[in-house]
Amino acid sequence: MKKIKVAAAISLIAVSLIVWRISRPVEIIAVHDGMTLLVKNFPLLKYQQISWWEENKKRIHDKYNIPSIDRLGHYMVFVLNFGEGYRVDRNTDQDSDLLCFEDMNVAANCIEKDPLFMVHGVSSSKVYYD
């Protein structure tokens, strides 16, 4: 009987953590290069990511002017995990997985490359999600 209670408690904690993880809102931390969003708490599943983009693309465009559509109607938006935050590129092999942003005038202007989502629009009628 005691084993059942322990198993039930562990299951309840696990389910609670999963629900908490899924229900946290996406937080846009920074925007770079006119096409890169750094986020926290991005949805895990592709259909949730697409849904988030569709629900928020107007707000993102109004606030950050992303996506920036070229004269042919094309655009790309990259969503990357902000992770542990900005880091300094020390030009070592361990830093080869960093993506640095030239639009920041500080030493810590890089993040670990952790792409989460990409949306690519071709004209006004076709949108691709990766």
Side-chain angles (χ1 to χ4, degrees):
M1 189 66 159
K2 191 173 187 176
K3 289 182 182 180
I4 293 173
K5 286 182 181 180
V6 170
I10 291 172
S11 297
L12 180 62
I13 291 169
V15 168
S16 297
L17 286 173
I18 291 169
V19 168
W20 174 75
R21 169 72 170 111
I22 291 172
S23 65
R24 292 183 303 171
V26 175
E27 184 180 353
I28 298 174
I29 303 298
V31 176
H32 294 284
D33 305 330
M35 67 172 81
T36 304
L37 298 172
L38 303 181
V39 301
K40 286 187 175 183
N41 309 323
F42 203 65
L44 298 175
L45 302 175
K46 186 62 70 181
Y47 81 91
Q48 293 170 320
Q49 295 170 351
I50 293 169
S51 178
W52 177 83
W53 173 256
E54 291 298 325
E55 291 171 8
N56 292 283
K57 66 183 176 184
K58 181 176 178 359
R59 181 180 63 83
I60 291 168
H61 184 268
D62 292 347
K63 187 170 183 177
Y64 304 109
N65 198 30
I66 291 177
S68 177
I69 302 169
D70 70 13
R71 60 184 173 78
L72 299 174
H74 300 167
Y75 65 89
M76 292 184 95
V77 176
F78 301 96
V79 179
L80 289 94
N81 186 19
F82 188 63
E84 299 299 317
Y86 293 109
R87 293 179 33 192
V88 174
D89 183 359
R90 299 189 195 316
N91 295 314
T92 64
D93 288 343
Q94 291 82 9
D95 289 342
S96 65
D97 62 339
L98 295 180
L99 174 64
C100 300
F101 300 103
E102 300 299 321
D103 59 349
M104 295 179 67
N105 293 325
V106 294
N109 67 341
C110 306
I111 62 164
E112 287 189 39
K113 293 177 191 170
D114 188 3
L116 301 171
F117 180 74
M118 184 192 75
V119 58
H120 176 215
V122 181
S123 71
S124 61
S125 61
K126 295 188 182 199
V127 178
Y128 301 94
Y129 302 100
D130 292 317

